[in-house]
Amino acid sequence: MRPRITHPKAAVTTRATAVLAAGCTGLLLVLTGCGSPSAADAPPSAASGSGSGAKNGDTPPKAQSLAGTARVPVPRGAGSRVPYDFNGDGHRDLVIDDLVKAPEDSHGDDAGIGIVYGSEDRDRPLDPAARQLLSARANAAKSGDTLPAAFDAEAACDLDRDGFTDLIVSTDPPYNGIGAPPVPLQILFGSPQGLTGKAVTVRIPQQARFGNEWPEQPVCGDFDGDGKADLAVTASAGQVTFLHGPFTRTGAPRSAELLPDGGPYLYAPEPRADADGDGYDDLVAAARPHAPGRPGKGTLLLGSAKGPARPGGTYAFAAEKLPRAPLNATGTTRTALLDHGDYDADKKPDTVVRTYRGERQDLIALYAAGTTDRPVLTFSTALFLP
């Protein structure tokens, strides 16, 4: 059996890039709160009131409540070097996994991957109206004649060096249990319109594979210091598959090789990929899953001209006290870190968190750098419901 990829919702106890559910089940764009707890039982088309759901009764400045607002086109970009900029307009975008489920579909499949695009408005640097929903049916590559059921965001970087960030996703291709399993990783390339079209499967040459474990846990980084984004992926027996960039549009790396001393889980150091400041991005191999913002330990693999192959000793992920999105909900809620990144172009890392309860209530909040009391904006992943 292939082990399940660890997703953002589980990230509160393992690793993540997002979590589940909808706190206000209307087509919300920007919320100050989620009204009463019973709002989660309203139909997806129900409008949401502005409410008073800000943390400790405070209303975030400049926040708005817009229900039923139509989706707007993704802004066209010409390419940039900004991380997580899928449409190349110079503004950082947000990736969200494990989207909310509608009340009548609480046992259904995940809707897919949500993308919220960045905005030139520094007071509201994410625009939830400019959004895309990526799904296996619409965007995944087939394995033979079979479309995958799983389609989960894993990492993002500009693999083909065209100025548009690309998204690496994990899938679940069919496998009969004989020999090496197929590669479950796919690349969805960025463009002036954002992430569109069909993904391609990552091509891992046979000499860069080892054993019969699934190649997973992709981590982006310029590990060999040549200015081009590479990928590190797990291999059996604790080895690392090192895929040198740039990649072709067919998913093939420039070259590939096996490196020793990896682990079943791979991560980038936090908060900087180049942990020792020598010009090469580094890699952390861990024996257990790690949730962003939570304490954890691993082994540092230092980047070099040959990739992340130099031993760097024990690495400790620092614990972080996270602000909580102002979700109005009865019962236990949890908060996960979605991202630290510069969304308002002030060269300081902002914080995006997701507070959720179960699979039907959530709120995402963006906090400007250095603040934890009042979010710049909030929205629920309910906005991705049809």
Side-chain angles (χ1 to χ4, degrees), residues 23-36 39 42-51 64-68 380:
C24 302
T25 54
L27 287 180
L28 321 178
L29 292 184
V30 181
L31 311 178
T32 56
C34 291
S36 68
S45 59
S48 167
S50 59
Q64 304 176 52
S65 175
L66 303 174
S380 166

Side-chain angles (χ1 to χ4, degrees), residues 202-209 224 230-231 233 240-247 251-259 306:
V202 174
R203 297 178 181 270
I204 301 181
Q206 190 58 42
Q207 72 269 18
R209 296 196 64 177
D224 55 10
D230 312 308
L231 278 182
V233 180
V240 174
T241 294
F242 177 39
L243 304 174
H244 297 256
F247 285 63
R254 175 172 56 86
S255 61
E257 59 197 277
L258 275 171
L259 300 177
K306 295 182 179 180

Side-chain angles (χ1 to χ4, degrees), residues 210-297:
F210 182 80
N212 294 331
E213 294 182 15
W214 293 84
E216 296 182 315
Q217 298 285 310
V219 178
C220 286
D222 181 12
F223 303 111
D224 55 10
D226 65 354
K228 304 172 180 65
D230 312 308
L231 278 182
V233 180
T234 58
S236 298
Q239 299 190 68
V240 174
T241 294
F242 177 39
L243 304 174
H244 297 256
F247 285 63
T248 68
R249 295 300 289 248
T250 64
R254 175 172 56 86
S255 61
E257 59 197 277
L258 275 171
L259 300 177
D261 302 325
Y265 298 95
L266 300 178
Y267 302 101
E270 300 171 357
R272 292 180 298 275
D274 181 4
D276 60 353
D278 65 351
Y280 299 95
D281 287 345
D282 306 314
L283 187 66
V284 178
R288 297 181 178 86
H290 164 66
R294 307 293 179 181
K297 290 185 178 181

Side-chain angles (χ1 to χ4, degrees), residues 10 15 34 38 56 79 87 92 115 120 140 172 184 212 316 359 374 377 382:
R15 190 193 172 192
C34 291
S38 62
N56 299 325
N87 59 332
R92 190 182 181 101
I115 307 295
E120 63 183 1
D172 57 347
N212 294 331
E359 296 186 339
R374 298 190 180 195
L377 64 86

